[in-house]
Amino acid sequence: MDLAYLRAHPTQLPTFLTHQRIRETPVSGGDICAASRLTLDDGHSVFAKTWPERAARPVPDGFFAAEAAGLRWLREADAVPVPEVIVALPDLLALEWVQPGEPDPAAAERLGRELAALHRAGASTFGAPWPGFIGALPQDNTPDEGPWSRWFAARRLTPYLRRSVDSGALTPADAALVEQVVDRIGEFGGDEPPARVHGDLWPGNVLWGADDRAWLVDPAAHGGHRETDLAQLALFGGAPHLDRILSAYQEVWPLADGWRERVPLHQLHLLLVHTALFGAAYRDAVTRAARSALAGLDRATVER
């Protein structure tokens, strides 16, 4: 099997894998799926993701279809490197192989400019035309006209807050703190029309390639707020050369006043996803973000 044959006959990939007709090398990384590098007869490689065989539950309906739809939608903007979807099946996704490289200041600046172009490509509504996932959790992508603040509270904060409380990852007191943010979300400002966003842009979902470019992988793509992508880049230690990314972004499309104070608000979504998925280990991060968001809001109120 070569790359041309695979593109023409994508449904045959599982058969070739089952009969060990393709060299398969495990790839590390990722908390949800099993990943591997598939080397084809013509020397090309593709990156394959599958649902782990020993997972506690079967692959959720539409899981890989949602990622494939998001990747294609991001690629359509022709703004930032996104791997090509080669095979999209209910239990398998195969993508263009990106040779890993090292973070570089010039690549970071280019990423900032390219993210601005991606976001400017826009979306017709908040949400997306396909059912969403973030990690292994469903994400409500029902198209919504907004405004952003109401949509974000209802579709991106409250559902994962409820899941986190129900699982015991957050206490009722923690929930009350986050609910203050939800109740006051209209006061934060910064509402904008929907941007075309990656949606899960923590630093681990930026792949620094050997081609001196930064590629976007593992999206939860939808129409959202551009500040959410940028805020997520600062999580979990922050992306390499984050200051270069943000400066270059600002040169192309300056952010609205008050964006720095809104960073914890935008981060709260992904942090709540983590408590819902991984438990109380992320509890302190959620409460810190909620307190920081409220403190920033109070400072802005005093200044006004």
Side-chain angles (χ1 to χ4, degrees), residues 120-266:
R120 265 191 162 151
S124 57
T125 64
F126 295 103
W130 56 86
F133 283 87
I134 187 160
L137 296 178
Q139 181 160 264
D140 187 354
N141 273 350
T142 304
D144 192 313
E145 298 294 332
W148 169 80
S149 52
R150 178 190 56 76
W151 168 85
F152 190 70
R155 305 292 175 85
R156 293 299 184 261
L157 297 183
T158 301
Y160 303 103
L161 174 61
R162 289 173 179 160
R163 280 179 174 266
S164 299
V165 172
D166 289 347
S167 68
L170 295 179
T171 68
D174 301 331
L177 181 64
V178 176
E179 285 165 355
Q180 289 183 55
V181 177
V182 171
D183 291 342
R184 298 183 66 186
I185 197 164
E187 301 176 38
F188 283 89
D191 275 24
E192 293 184 351
R196 188 170 304 212
V197 301
H198 177 282
D200 189 9
L201 199 56
W202 70 285
N205 284 343
V206 178
L207 175 56
W208 300 88
D211 57 356
D212 295 325
R213 299 188 74 184
W215 294 65
L216 303 191
V217 297
D218 294 344
H222 62 275
H225 200 301
R226 60 192 179 121
E227 290 179 16
T228 303
D229 271 355
L230 300 177
Q232 291 175 348
L233 281 173
L235 284 170
F236 312 131
H241 311 296
L242 180 59
D243 57 336
R244 300 285 191 99
I245 297 172
L246 294 175
S247 294
Y249 187 103
Q250 291 269 54
E251 290 173 6
V252 176
W253 191 10
L255 295 164
D257 290 346
W259 71 269
R260 292 185 186 277
E261 286 70 31
R262 288 189 292 271
V263 166
L265 169 65
H266 287 275

